[in-house]
Amino acid sequence: MAASKPHPFAFYLRIARLVKPFWSHIAAFGLLSLLATPLALLVPLPLKIAVDSCLGSIPLPHMVSALLPATARPARASVLFLAAGLLVAVALLSQLQSMAASLLGAYTGEKLLLAFRGELFRHMQRLSLLFHDSKGTAESLYRLQYDAAALQSVTIENLIPFLSSALTVVGMLYVTLRMTWQLALLALAVCPVLLLSGRRFRQGMRQKSREVKALEKSALAIVHEVLQGLRIVKSFVKEGSEEERFVRCSAEGTRARLRLAFIQGQYGLVIGLTAAVGTAAVLVVGVGEVQAGALTLGNLLLLMGYLAQLYEPLKSMAKKSASLQTSLAGVERVFALLDENPEVPEKPNPRPLARSSGEIEYREVSFAYTSDRPVLHEVSFQIAAGKSVGIVGETGAGKTTLASLLLRFYDPTEGQILLDGVDLREYRLADLRNQFASVPQEPVLFSTTIAENIAYARPDASMQEVAAAAKAAYADEFIARLPQGFDTRVGERGMCLSGGERQRISLARAFLKDAPLLILDEPTSAVDVGTEAAIVDAMARLMRGRTTLLISHRQKVFVNCDLMLTVGKDRPIVEASDSLAIVCT
Ligand SMILES: Nc1ncnc2c1ncn2[C@@H]1O[C@H](COP(=O)(O)OP(=O)(O)OP(=O)(O)O)[C@@H](O)[C@H]1O
Ligand SMILES: [Mg+2]
């Protein structure tokens, strides 16, 4: 994974670019959140009015007295009711504000996440098989499902509330400074401690969050792998050891999460304690000032209320910065995935290809999955348009690899492959792949109905066409025996069907896709001899007029092939003969 450390500014800029399409929603959410500040300033006011103007005899503040009928001196009872009414009104407004903000926040966040996940999924599908083979699916799954959500929490749950908290701090500060600047400065004296401890803890939290994420992903990978291979796990009675592996990995995750929680707790403690020290200092000095008559009791209470609210956003900023670090670690991981380049790139101005004639040439093609494991070495051969080629070779010799190169699942390490005399890399990738109907060695079915699986390449195919394809692949008989026929759901990866049945559905899919080139990788490996003979017959019809690469370990399958190729395991050979003879060099 590309884990190069981006400059923090570039990192935030990238987040900003991502959320840009939603800026109007985010701005509206931000403004709505900012309303919390003036409302928070009003919260301690009723208490001050009650103490100073109802219990005491200090005149009402100017703006408040305007709410009462213009008499020389309002009755204490009406002042009290005013204070009580104000309290309820402020609470109501606060609740409405927070409800509206959270609704808009949820809406914006979900929209943002959907767009982000969509982009991530698109990118994942474009990444090469080599990437997915080596990283495993759980990795991508975790990033898509969990890490992507971090972008939402960065913007909606952290950044905007963070800004609104910061603004509240500024508002509170302004008001307290105006009331009594000496006390306000005293309260502020603790701020450097808050800032410094924040700096110190953030780094540790981000580091721990990264660890937690890596461990959670590993646990998910175990579940994914075990469930996919559950038949093997059960047959080797390995449930116990798999459970142990999972629990061990999860326990490590738990320990890492606890360590993270501990750091967060420590941070909370430092913040809370610092705030308390500040408040205590103001209390001591403030009471002295009230005794000396420099401050009214109501104003002291107002000040204490504001102080509590000054520290509250500071505390919540600290808490937010803890979860912000976790989210940023997630966003980092998603960016790393987005930075992976597809290893099978498309040219800037690719060549369109409507329908290929089917002429193939391999020119000195070498290929290695990893540099220390070469598979093909300087392979050269030609197949004329419409010819069918049988490919044989020892297991692991590179037959499947040879065919994969044609579909550009991988690009040759050296040499080139030409289709209709043009290098494959020149073509538009989608156009190129559309030229092939391929039956892979491991049939891949999706968890929908049989009909939809057959019509995968041509969803618009009529039911008659689907049935004809099934018949051609000798799949019609077993489908007819199923209670729901073509509407039978095949289960995840087609697990509700037998190996041979899956293979025939996969073959039917190739029959339905009217492509000029065919790749059949052991299309009959899982069927009985009788069915094989029938399928060979059917394949002969399918292969007519199409360039075909037919890979098999069974000789009988090759009866209709024009040429034979042998892929040698350790030798750089693939040679075409124009007879049925198998060439070994
Ligand atoms: N994704 C991969 N990553 C690394 N090595 C791979 C990968 N796929 C295959 N190989 C290796 O490449 C070699 C050729 O594999 P390939 O699947 O092409 O063989 P094959 O001729 O089709 O064999 P079989 O007859 O068993 O299907 C093997 O040695 C295999 O271990
Ligand atoms: Mg193979």
Side-chain angles (χ1 to χ4, degrees):
M1 192 61 49
S4 64
K5 210 87 202 78
H7 189 273
F9 183 68
F11 178 67
Y12 293 117
L13 204 66
R14 190 167 177 186
I15 295 184
R17 267 204 305 275
L18 266 175
V19 302
K20 203 170 149 206
F22 301 92
W23 72 270
S24 56
H25 285 85
I26 293 178
F29 172 64
L31 284 177
L32 209 53
S33 305
L34 291 186
L35 276 184
T37 306
L39 288 172
L41 283 170
L42 289 178
V43 170
L45 198 60
L47 185 62
K48 176 208 151 53
I49 293 172
V51 171
D52 275 358
S53 311
C54 181
L55 298 175
S57 51
I58 297 167
L60 281 172
H62 205 63
M63 277 172 58
V64 181
S65 60
L67 295 174
L68 286 178
T71 50
R73 190 174 166 71
R76 281 177 195 272
S78 46
V79 172
L80 186 58
F81 278 119
L82 176 76
L86 206 59
L87 195 141
V88 173
V90 170
L92 179 69
L93 284 176
S94 294
Q95 289 310 315
L96 285 178
Q97 178 271 343
S98 93
M99 189 175 89
S102 76
L103 278 179
L104 188 61
Y107 177 80
T108 313
E110 290 300 326
K111 284 272 185 200
L112 184 67
L113 183 59
L114 186 65
F116 190 44
R117 279 215 177 110
E119 184 184 330
L120 197 59
F121 188 57
R122 189 165 49 243
H123 185 74
M124 271 177 196
Q125 292 200 80
R126 282 178 52 224
L127 285 178
S128 70
L129 291 175
L130 219 46
F131 172 84
H132 290 295
D133 287 351
S134 60
K135 289 286 173 213
T137 38
E139 174 81 37
S140 306
L141 209 66
Y142 189 87
R143 287 183 198 222
L144 185 73
Q145 203 55 33
Y146 299 103
D147 288 339
L151 184 70
Q152 179 188 23
S153 67
V154 165
T155 39
I156 303 300
E157 285 159 31
N158 287 295
L159 221 54
I160 299 291
F162 197 86
L163 289 180
S164 108
S165 293
L167 207 81
T168 312
V169 169
V170 173
M172 293 294 167
L173 212 58
Y174 176 73
V175 178
T176 22
L177 276 172
R178 283 199 51 170
M179 275 175 63
T180 144
W181 63 269
Q182 297 92 335
L183 286 183
L185 286 184
L186 185 64
L188 272 187
V190 298
C191 276
V193 182
L194 295 179
L195 290 177
L196 287 179
S197 59
R199 209 175 233 280
R200 198 179 149 305
F201 280 105
R202 265 199 301 276
Q203 216 42 38
M205 285 188 287
R206 176 94 72 105
Q207 186 51 36
K208 280 280 161 297
S209 304
R210 288 192 194 116
E211 264 174 50
V212 166
K213 293 211 164 284
L215 286 165
E216 280 177 348
K217 183 232 100 196
S218 308
L220 188 74
I222 295 176
V223 176
H224 195 247
E225 194 172 57
V226 167
L227 289 183
Q228 275 199 333
L230 200 56
R231 281 175 170 74
I232 301 295
V233 174
K234 279 182 188 291
S235 66
F236 285 91
V237 200
K238 294 294 260 185
E239 290 95 333
S241 66
E242 291 298 351
E243 183 188 331
E244 203 179 293
R245 190 157 74 105
F246 171 71
V247 169
R248 196 173 343 113
C249 187
S250 300
E252 269 178 52
T254 307
R255 276 195 291 278
R257 266 195 302 278
L258 286 178
R259 282 196 294 272
L260 179 63
F262 184 59
I263 300 184
Q264 286 174 349
Q266 278 178 321
Y267 190 25
L269 191 73
V270 170
I271 300 280
L273 213 62
T274 317
V277 169
T279 316
V282 173
L283 183 70
V284 171
V285 179
V287 168
E289 298 239 321
V290 173
Q291 280 168 342
L295 197 67
T296 67
L297 179 59
N299 271 344
L300 178 64
L301 287 173
L302 191 66
L303 188 64
M304 296 308 283
Y306 281 165
L307 264 197
Q309 290 199 33
L310 172 70
Y311 289 133
E312 206 44 55
L314 283 177
K315 279 194 237 169
S316 85
M317 274 159 78
K319 271 195 218 118
K320 291 267 186 275
S321 82
S323 72
L324 183 67
Q325 295 312 312
T326 311
S327 303
L328 287 177
V331 174
E332 247 174 25
R333 286 164 50 86
V334 179
F335 282 174
L337 185 68
L338 284 174
D339 287 339
E340 287 288 339
N341 287 320
E343 280 154 67
V344 182
E346 193 172 59
K347 283 211 149 182
N349 288 312
R351 205 182 163 110
L353 179 60
R355 194 169 174 93
S356 156
S357 69
E359 187 190 315
I360 296 170
E361 181 180 355
Y362 278 60
R363 245 187 228 166
E364 312 261 295
V365 172
S366 299
F367 178 74
Y369 285 99
T370 50
S371 53
D372 53 342
R373 285 178 68 180
V375 181
L376 300 172
H377 184 65
E378 294 183 358
V379 169
S380 300
F381 63 93
Q382 271 179 307
I383 306 171
K387 295 284 179 197
S388 45
V389 184
I391 301 178
V392 290
E394 287 166 49
T395 187
K399 304 181 294 298
T400 302
T401 308
L402 192 78
S404 303
L405 293 179
L406 208 47
L407 280 161
R408 277 199 84 197
F409 287 157
Y410 316 96
D411 275 336
T413 335
E414 271 169 57
Q416 45 177 187
I417 304 175
L418 313 176
L419 178 66
D420 299 351
V422 177
D423 193 311
L424 295 185
R425 284 169 283 210
E426 299 285 330
Y427 290 119
R428 225 170 70 96
L429 208 51
D431 282 356
L432 172 73
R433 290 181 181 155
N434 268 332
Q435 306 306 314
F436 295 90
S438 136
V439 178
Q441 192 165 9
E442 308 280 341
V444 177
L445 301 191
F446 297 98
S447 55
T448 69
T449 62
I450 288 184
E452 280 176 43
N453 264 296
I454 294 179
Y456 189 66
R458 281 183 49 204
D460 56 334
S462 69
M463 200 52 224
Q464 281 84 352
E465 287 173 303
V466 171
K471 192 168 164 51
Y474 279 81
D476 55 335
E477 269 176 40
F478 89 82
I479 295 173
R481 279 200 304 275
L482 292 169
Q484 274 129 19
F486 280 98
D487 293 328
T488 310
R489 301 191 78 83
V490 299
E492 199 180 0
R493 287 173 295 127
M495 289 320 268
C496 301
L497 299 178
S498 81
E501 287 166 351
R502 277 201 293 277
Q503 206 160 41
R504 277 177 282 167
I505 302 278
S506 175
L507 199 59
R509 189 188 279 164
F511 271 88
L512 190 62
K513 181 175 178 181
D514 173 33
L517 291 115
L518 277 178
I519 297 177
L520 308 168
D521 197 347
E522 313 221 13
T524 59
S525 62
V527 296
D528 61 86
V529 181
T531 312
E532 179 176 58
I535 290 180
V536 168
D537 256 9
M539 279 195 313
R541 285 198 302 278
L542 177 65
M543 282 152 59
R544 210 163 294 142
R546 299 172 212 266
T547 310
T548 308
L549 271 73
L550 173 57
I551 303 170
S552 183
H553 288 294
R554 303 198 197 176
Q555 290 298 324
K556 279 189 198 151
V557 176
F558 297 123
V559 286
N560 302 307
C561 289
D562 304 309
L563 316 164
M564 289 305 296
L565 295 178
T566 302
V567 182
K569 197 165 187 182
D570 303 314
R571 294 152 298 172
I573 52 116
V574 169
E575 201 160 303
S577 94
D578 51 356
S579 74
L580 261 180
I582 296 169
V583 175
C584 296
T585 54

XYZ file of all heavy atoms in Angstrom, residues 394-401 441 521-522 551 553, ligand 2:
97
model
N 1.495 -29.034 -18.465
C 1.420 -29.521 -17.083
C 0.655 -28.531 -16.219
O 0.571 -27.353 -16.542
C 2.832 -29.639 -16.503
C 3.632 -30.778 -17.048
C 5.087 -30.594 -16.665
O 5.355 -30.337 -15.478
O 5.944 -30.690 -17.563
N 0.186 -29.039 -15.131
C -0.515 -28.140 -14.223
C 0.475 -27.112 -13.658
O 1.612 -27.457 -13.342
C -1.247 -28.962 -13.134
O -2.030 -28.065 -12.395
C -0.310 -29.690 -12.207
N 0.046 -25.878 -13.624
C 0.918 -24.807 -13.133
C 1.876 -24.287 -14.178
O 2.742 -23.473 -13.890
N 1.717 -24.744 -15.434
C 2.658 -24.340 -16.476
C 2.411 -22.909 -16.931
O 3.303 -22.253 -17.455
C 2.550 -25.300 -17.656
N 1.197 -22.437 -16.774
C 0.906 -21.051 -17.156
C -0.175 -20.928 -18.218
O -0.269 -19.910 -18.894
N -1.030 -21.954 -18.360
C -2.084 -21.917 -19.385
C -3.116 -20.840 -19.064
O -3.466 -20.022 -19.913
C -2.769 -23.290 -19.482
C -1.822 -24.432 -19.761
C -2.521 -25.754 -19.872
C -3.165 -26.229 -18.569
N -2.213 -26.460 -17.463
N -3.594 -20.851 -17.821
C -4.588 -19.857 -17.421
C -3.988 -18.457 -17.514
O -4.637 -17.518 -17.974
C -5.070 -20.144 -15.984
O -5.608 -21.461 -15.960
C -6.131 -19.166 -15.539
N -2.718 -18.358 -17.115
C -2.035 -17.068 -17.174
C -1.981 -16.567 -18.610
O -2.244 -15.392 -18.881
C -0.611 -17.220 -16.610
O -0.697 -17.841 -15.326
C 0.079 -15.891 -16.490
N -11.669 -21.128 -15.326
C -11.409 -22.453 -14.730
C -12.295 -22.682 -13.503
O -12.822 -23.751 -13.304
C -9.935 -22.512 -14.343
C -9.453 -23.880 -13.986
C -7.922 -23.926 -13.962
O -7.256 -22.906 -14.050
N -7.379 -25.116 -13.848
N -11.518 -22.278 -20.364
C -10.474 -22.829 -19.497
C -11.044 -24.032 -18.763
O -11.785 -23.886 -17.807
C -10.002 -21.747 -18.511
C -8.657 -22.102 -17.882
O -8.238 -23.265 -18.018
O -8.057 -21.215 -17.254
N -10.702 -25.198 -19.244
C -11.204 -26.462 -18.689
C -12.718 -26.439 -18.522
O -13.227 -26.622 -17.412
C -10.533 -26.734 -17.338
C -9.042 -26.524 -17.432
C -8.256 -27.574 -16.698
O -8.857 -28.582 -16.325
O -7.051 -27.388 -16.537
N -8.514 -24.613 -23.219
C -7.524 -25.213 -22.323
C -8.142 -26.445 -21.678
O -9.291 -26.394 -21.216
C -7.126 -24.208 -21.218
C -6.582 -22.923 -21.848
C -6.115 -24.831 -20.257
C -6.385 -21.797 -20.866
N -7.138 -30.597 -19.789
C -6.219 -31.716 -19.548
C -6.752 -32.964 -20.225
O -6.130 -34.015 -20.165
C -6.077 -31.972 -18.035
C -5.286 -30.908 -17.338
N -3.959 -30.697 -17.581
C -5.640 -29.978 -16.415
C -3.516 -29.690 -16.837
N -4.536 -29.234 -16.122
Mg -5.328 -23.123 -15.144
